[in-house]
Amino acid sequence: GPHHRVGLLSEREVATQVYGLSGRRAERPDATFTDVFARVARRVPDAVAVRHRDRAWTYGELDGRADRLAGALLDAGLGPGETVGVAAERGFDWAVAVLAVWKAGGVYLPACADVPAGRAAAALAASGCGLVLADERNDAWARRIAAGRRVLPVEDGRRGTVGGGGAPADRRVPARPRDAAYLYLTSGSSGRPKVAVCEHAGLLNHLYAKVEDMGLAGEGAGAVVAQTASQGFDISLWQLTAPLLVGGSTRIVDAEVLRDVDAFVTEIVAGGVTVAQVVPSYLEVLLTRLEQEPRTLGALRSLSVTGEPLRQELVRRWFALFPGIPLVNAYGATEVSDDTMHEVLTRPPETGFVPVGRPLPNVHVYVLDEHLALLPLGAPGEIIFSGVCVGRGYLNDEERTRQAFVPDPFRPGARMYRTGDFGRWLPDGRLEFLGRRDEQVRLRGFRIELGEIENRLLAVPGVREAAVVIDRAASAHPRLVAFHTGQPGAAAPGAEELRAELSAEVPAYMVPASFHRLDRLPLTGNGKVDKRLLTRLAGPL
Ligand code: ADP
């Protein structure tokens, strides 16, 4: 059976792995975001909900406009649980559109021009979406991808009651916590995109965890979250909505501002931003600039880093500049309602690498072997999530849904999501991230986690970044190739030194065949290290 090994594990080990050592339990959200938002909007109608450039909109304005637009969606024939594509620039209209879709009982699908047209059109078609909401700037784009579907202007919410059909609250069928809330395109490894479906309960559970772990709870109207991610990225959703649970505001930061880190810092300070989130590559750029020219970060009280492994070196540099501002390493995946684990750091960890932390409330994390059996504490295995975070699967894709979303042997009736990531529990109940399943190799029968080698390389003084790839092209025997960058202004360790350092830490079969220093590691569009490109580079080396 799938848990045949449980008998070999101590009760503590089983409990740890099924619940996480943190034991953080919270009530499972029995509401939707819009339920909670409606209460907040009634309580603080005049508080600022959204800021963009030099404009501000109150909860009353946001709520009113979203109500009217929801009415327009219902007039246009939107039925409960039907998908609405939203093609609007990041700004107030976008916020109105997202809220209106939910108020009308619909499912949000980002369809902004950040997503390639072919993929957006495919997602609309796959979702059975019948309606697209577009702002003026995206109208032509929306018509192009809509392929005959009705395109409704977001501006409809600006006029009075549309269609005279009465307030939407009277007509809509309210979404329930277990209903779908949004759809996201994720890239499949085969290149064929998947459309992940997430539920309201998973969304709200994640939002509450962000509120708690990023210190938004006590801030009320003072809570200001920087909305920096494009709509094509699921993290854009919590940045938009989490502050609206506590009476705070979301501050939409334009892409042009983000491209210039000085301008970004200025906006953080001038906008009174208290909470922000970046990917590690952006943190690196930010730190390099602030090390050259120190500045304060105004009201910032918490910075989250997400999307790929957070290097210890960045954490050290952060606390050297900002010892009083916690860093939150946020780990998760689109399929499980965004982040499922947080590591709240108040100083650099002593482990030599940065753990991904502990499970969020109502999230269960397992580390399992290839038969989905629990492993002893500390053994590397696949990271698997269960609980309220687990989404519905991939739209119209039973086969890939069945592969990734499997029955949870420890919680009858529940489904769990196989991340394809590898990790291991640390003795204190935190999780170490060890890389992707497709980065797992067997060399001469030994199973190797590339992330483990990278973590050890990063612990070598003078190494700033490290990426290890498998070169299968060179010969019949796959070999490991390491790339690294050095600390600015310091002598970078040479290949011999790295080989010697690693040999002292890991078995010989885990020591790469060659080491190559680069000025910087290549990045993908999302700011993640481009391993595919590195693998291609490794061949001829
Ligand atoms: P996200 O929008 O959070 O990046 P994706 O679904 O695009 O979500 O990618 C999820 C994958 O990104 C994870 O399975 C993991 O491989 C990687 N990842 C995300 N956050 C982290 C993190 N904090 N540390 C290490 N890897 C991460």
Side-chain angles (χ1 to χ4, degrees):
H3 37 318
H4 63 278
R5 289 216 196 160
V6 170
L8 302 177
L9 303 177
S10 71
E11 217 163 272
R12 179 171 164 275
E13 280 185 314
V14 173
T16 301
Q17 299 193 53
V18 175
Y19 299 112
L21 275 181
S22 74
R24 247 204 318 171
R25 305 283 179 81
E27 218 166 292
R28 212 181 152 101
D30 188 26
T32 65
F33 170 76
T34 36
D35 296 335
V36 184
F37 174 80
R39 284 202 295 275
V40 179
R42 268 199 304 277
R43 190 163 51 79
V44 291
D46 299 323
V48 171
V50 180
R51 281 182 202 275
H52 184 208
R53 298 179 190 149
D54 51 7
R55 294 207 50 194
W57 295 267
T58 65
Y59 278 79
E61 287 172 288
L62 175 58
D63 197 37
R65 274 223 22 218
D67 266 341
R68 289 195 291 279
L69 186 56
L73 286 168
L74 293 170
D75 287 344
L78 182 75
E82 285 178 6
T83 300
V84 181
V86 174
E89 301 290 303
R90 287 192 300 119
F92 182 59
D93 281 349
W94 170 52
V96 168
V98 174
L99 200 57
V101 170
W102 287 337
K103 276 176 180 273
V107 178
Y108 166 67
L109 169 68
C112 59
D114 294 23
V115 180
R119 292 185 64 177
L124 289 180
S127 66
C129 158
L131 281 171
V132 180
L133 278 174
D135 63 7
E136 273 158 54
R137 284 175 67 180
N138 285 274
D139 186 67
W141 154 266
R143 286 178 201 286
R144 186 141 64 89
I145 59 167
R149 284 177 193 80
R150 187 144 169 221
V151 176
L152 229 66
V154 177
E155 287 76 17
D156 273 8
R158 264 192 218 143
R159 299 186 213 117
T161 39
V162 176
D170 306 334
R171 294 187 284 148
R172 68 186 170 143
V173 181
R176 286 153 308 184
R178 297 305 304 272
D179 287 338
Y182 62 88
L183 307 179
Y184 256 92
L185 276 174
T186 71
S187 54
S189 46
S190 65
R192 194 158 51 92
K194 299 177 276 199
V195 183
V197 186
C198 294
E199 296 175 352
H200 281 285
L203 168 69
L204 194 56
N205 192 67
H206 175 232
L207 297 180
Y208 280 141
K210 281 284 185 286
V211 163
E212 191 181 330
D213 290 346
M214 301 200 66
L216 290 165
E219 293 194 305
V224 181
V225 175
Q227 201 295 306
T228 50
S230 91
Q231 297 103 322
F233 225 168
D234 61 347
I235 64 177
S236 61
L237 274 186
W238 84 259
Q239 297 174 347
L240 178 70
T241 54
L244 305 183
L245 294 176
V246 299
S249 60
T250 183
R251 181 175 188 94
I252 296 171
V253 182
D254 287 328
E256 293 92 84
V257 172
L258 289 165
R259 273 193 284 276
D260 171 357
V261 339
D262 289 328
F264 181 45
V265 172
T266 300
E267 183 145 349
I268 287 181
V269 175
V273 169
T274 59
V275 163
Q277 185 174 47
V278 294
V279 292
S281 53
Y282 198 88
L283 178 58
E284 159 99 65
V285 172
L286 183 68
L287 284 168
T288 304
R289 183 69 189 127
L290 291 169
E291 284 160 355
Q292 281 167 352
E293 207 169 289
R295 290 173 74 179
T296 76
L297 293 177
L300 194 79
R301 338 224 282 67
S302 179
L303 181 74
S304 166
V305 192
T306 193
E308 66 171 355
L310 171 58
R311 307 188 305 277
Q312 162 96 317
E313 180 251 348
L314 292 179
V315 177
R316 233 182 5 246
R317 286 165 65 192
W318 174 262
F319 287 115
L321 290 179
F322 305 107
I325 308 178
L327 272 186
V328 179
N329 186 14
Y331 165 62
T334 307
E335 289 86 340
V336 282
S337 316
D338 199 354
D339 294 320
T340 41
M341 305 194 78
H342 283 164
E343 169 77 351
V344 181
L345 298 149
T346 52
R347 61 193 143 89
E350 276 139 33
T351 33
F353 57 87
V354 187
V356 288
R358 302 172 191 275
L360 304 190
N362 301 307
V363 168
H364 301 260
V365 184
Y366 311 129
V367 174
L368 304 183
D369 71 10
E370 59 265 46
H371 307 293
L372 301 180
L374 286 174
L375 287 157
L377 272 185
E382 186 175 355
I383 304 170
I384 295 180
F385 293 114
S386 187
V388 67
C389 59
V390 177
R392 295 264 181 103
Y394 304 115
L395 208 63
N396 303 326
D397 195 340
E398 262 175 51
E399 191 186 328
R400 287 194 290 182
T401 299
R402 217 174 322 109
Q403 285 163 3
F405 294 80
V406 299
D408 179 343
F410 315 105
R411 300 175 59 241
R415 279 176 328 135
M416 56 186 197
Y417 171 71
R418 305 185 63 166
T419 58
D421 290 334
F422 278 82
R424 73 167 143 234
W425 289 113
L426 302 168
D428 65 359
R430 292 180 160 80
L431 195 76
E432 178 181 7
F433 177 86
L434 294 172
R436 304 267 324 146
R437 176 163 55 197
D438 45 26
E439 298 189 329
Q440 191 194 54
V441 272
R442 235 172 235 285
L443 282 183
R444 296 182 294 276
F446 296 108
R447 204 174 88 183
I448 296 173
E449 251 53 87
L450 297 185
E452 186 171 0
I453 308 174
E454 288 164 359
N455 285 350
R456 300 302 162 255
L457 271 175
L458 289 169
V460 178
V463 173
R464 190 154 53 121
E465 301 163 289
V468 178
V469 299
I470 316 146
D471 173 30
R472 290 194 168 87
S475 70
H477 301 289
R479 44 173 214 135
L480 299 174
V481 178
F483 295 93
H484 65 283
T485 64
Q487 305 286 2
E496 278 324 303
E497 195 183 333
L498 288 174
R499 186 167 290 122
E501 291 272 358
L502 270 190
S503 302
E505 298 287 331
V506 300
Y509 61 83
M510 285 175 68
V511 179
S514 65
F515 297 85
H516 305 276
R517 181 171 178 185
L518 300 176
D519 287 338
R520 58 172 56 111
L521 296 182
L523 301 179
T524 66
N526 278 353
K528 304 193 190 201
V529 173
D530 192 342
K531 290 251 174 138
R532 267 186 216 190
L533 180 63
L534 287 175
T535 305
R536 281 208 304 278
L537 284 177
L541 289 172

